[in-house]
Amino acid sequence: MEVLGIGDNVVDKYVHLNLMYPGGNAVNFSVFSKKLGVDAAFMGTFGNDQEARHVEQVLQELQIDVSRCRHFDGENGCARVTLENGDRVFLGSNEGGVTRMYPLQLTEDDKAYIRNFAVMHTGLYSHTGHLLPELTQLGVPLSFDFSDDFEEEQVDKYIGYADFAFFSCSHLTDEAAQDYIRSKWAGGNQLIIATRGSSRSMAYDGTRFYFQEPMVVEAVDTMGAGDSYIAAFLIHYLREKNVQAAMIEGSRFAAESCLVEGSFGYGVPYN
């Protein structure tokens, strides 16, 4: 199995530590997938600063294929972060830097490359909404992360392209989350999954709901927990086609990732 993350790469700058860690939804998906034992690639845009060099170097060290990435003059994506009792708190960002400034455009070679993967993952922060019509014509299942600050206009615009749609719904009650994802199901074989922090996650296939309690740990850092859930869920679902088993693996791996600083470590000082 080979999987592909498309879109955002960032550094998360922990202001209380003066350390920056590589991350971003698409990068995290690729790295977590690699940690789970599958080949992974990342397609996105790097700037020409210290932050970009660090992320790219780490991905190469982890043997993530970055051969289809673009490079532009400008700031790499970065966010300012702190921790409160192990829970990451965002303080601001440059909204993706060059990823936002130079939207990814696909060549025919890119499309041929993408067709080799078992699944591709992107999301709201990846600035790839304009690519969804093209991506869904390539015969590869598409996973899309709506994160936790989704807007109704965005959801309604993109949800129909996703084979797997992920939402972070810790701000909703159990009943409200069920009502919401039921209302957004777009038909066919689509699966919608809602993670809810320390409350149970849920999945909906158009017919029934599935539920999974989180695995409780004393979190060091919750950064990347949702992305680790997504990676483990997708890999196990594609292997076994069992929603409940995939949710169990997602919860297990998300708990494990909460014991690591940053999304997946590799922090270095920044200027």
Side-chain angles (χ1 to χ4, degrees):
M1 185 186 296
E2 294 182 275
V3 303
L4 174 66
I6 304 177
D8 56 328
N9 85 90
V10 305
V11 292
D12 295 308
K13 294 183 174 180
Y14 283 54
V15 297
H16 61 297
L17 300 174
N18 197 48
L19 294 175
M20 63 180 183
Y21 294 86
N25 295 150
V27 159
N28 288 347
F29 169 74
S30 298
V31 171
F32 289 137
S33 297
K34 187 74 172 183
K35 289 180 177 292
L36 289 164
V38 304
D39 290 332
F42 169 70
M43 180 186 292
T45 303
F46 290 107
N48 64 343
D49 51 15
Q50 175 193 20
E51 291 80 356
R53 288 189 292 274
H54 180 54
V55 179
E56 188 167 17
Q57 180 180 345
V58 169
L59 292 179
Q60 291 170 340
E61 181 177 338
L62 293 172
Q63 297 183 310
I64 306 293
D65 179 10
V66 293
S67 61
R68 290 282 160 178
C69 289
R70 280 67 159 163
H71 298 79
F72 290 95
D73 291 340
E75 287 187 347
N76 207 68
C78 70
R80 296 169 57 250
V81 182
T82 191
L83 291 176
E84 294 182 0
N85 298 317
D87 194 16
R88 57 104 172 98
V89 178
F90 286 104
L91 304 175
S93 77
N94 65 357
E95 299 182 352
V98 292
T99 299
R100 171 179 52 84
M101 294 172 60
Y102 303 99
L104 196 62
Q105 302 296 331
L106 299 180
T107 66
E108 290 305 313
D109 285 346
D110 290 331
K111 295 177 185 179
Y113 173 79
I114 293 170
R115 289 188 180 98
N116 294 314
F117 291 93
V119 68
M120 52 186 163
H121 176 73
T122 189
L124 280 183
Y125 299 139
S126 288
H127 301 282
T128 51
H130 62 290
L131 295 179
L132 298 184
E134 289 181 88
L135 291 173
T136 53
Q137 297 300 310
L138 301 180
V140 177
L142 174 70
S143 167
F144 195 92
D145 183 12
F146 288 93
S147 194
D148 61 354
D149 56 355
F150 49 87
E151 298 175 359
E152 288 303 296
E153 182 179 354
Q154 295 171 314
V155 176
D156 293 339
K157 186 175 181 179
Y158 301 144
I159 191 76
Y161 295 109
D163 297 285
F164 304 93
F166 291 88
F167 292 85
S168 179
C169 293
S170 57
H171 60 293
L172 297 179
T173 66
D174 192 291
E175 182 179 0
Q178 289 183 57
D179 289 343
Y180 186 78
I181 64 176
R182 183 192 292 113
S183 73
K184 295 304 178 184
W185 186 73
N189 295 318
Q190 184 183 65
L191 280 173
I192 302 184
I193 301 94
T195 57
R196 301 178 54 247
S198 60
S199 300
R200 66 179 183 174
S201 59
M202 59 186 66
Y204 183 64
D205 64 5
T207 302
R208 60 167 289 192
F209 277 94
Y210 305 79
F211 302 97
Q212 178 60 44
E213 294 293 337
M215 298 186 183
V216 179
V217 295
E218 187 171 344
V220 172
D221 188 348
T222 60
M223 181 73 77
D227 298 330
S228 59
Y229 184 106
I230 290 171
F233 179 95
L234 288 173
I235 288 168
H236 286 84
Y237 180 79
L238 291 170
R239 284 174 173 162
E240 302 178 13
K241 297 297 189 289
N242 184 310
V243 175
Q244 195 70 59
M247 295 176 76
I248 291 171
E249 289 302 319
S251 296
R252 180 196 63 77
F253 194 54
E256 185 179 310
S257 77
C258 288
L259 303 178
V260 178
E261 293 181 345
S263 290
F264 50 86
Y266 293 90
V268 296
Y270 63 89
N271 297 326

